[in-house]
Amino acid sequence: MTIEGILSLSDPVWSLLHIAMHLGVKESVALRVVNQQGFPSPIVNTKRNRRWLAQDVRTYFEIKSQGAMSQETSLRVNPAYQPKVISFMKAK
């Protein structure tokens, strides 16, 4: 019996395996997805055996597929910064 026979995407609460099955990817890839900023918070535990409400996960992917989510960068640019040294490399 395969894991697909046990899991159903109609379940109201999803595990990491549900999300991997929904996306059609391996569990390791799904783990990267659920750790992204903006992904819904788990309803149980924050490290092991996490579970999410299926409707929250579906809504997240729907919004993301429409391009409505913007990813914030952790890099902040200081517009007043002036470098002390500027070096130029010679073209070979």
Side-chain angles (χ1 to χ4, degrees), residues 39-90:
F39 196 82
S41 298
I43 57 173
V44 179
N45 207 336
T46 57
K47 297 290 179 192
R48 293 182 92 189
N49 301 321
R50 292 181 279 181
R51 301 287 186 264
W52 296 266
L53 291 175
Q55 187 57 44
D56 291 349
V57 175
R58 284 188 194 106
T59 302
Y60 169 81
F61 287 126
E62 183 179 336
I63 291 170
K64 189 160 178 122
S65 71
Q66 295 169 358
M69 294 184 132
S70 62
Q71 290 207 350
E72 293 196 21
T73 63
S74 60
L75 177 65
R76 301 289 180 215
V77 177
N78 180 357
Y81 175 76
Q82 292 183 359
K84 295 179 183 174
V85 177
I86 298 176
S87 62
F88 296 94
M89 297 181 73
K90 292 181 181 180

Side-chain angles (χ1 to χ4, degrees), residues 29-44:
V29 175
L31 185 59
R32 284 184 265 165
V33 172
V34 301
N35 288 326
Q36 290 179 354
Q37 185 177 10
F39 196 82
S41 298
I43 57 173
V44 179

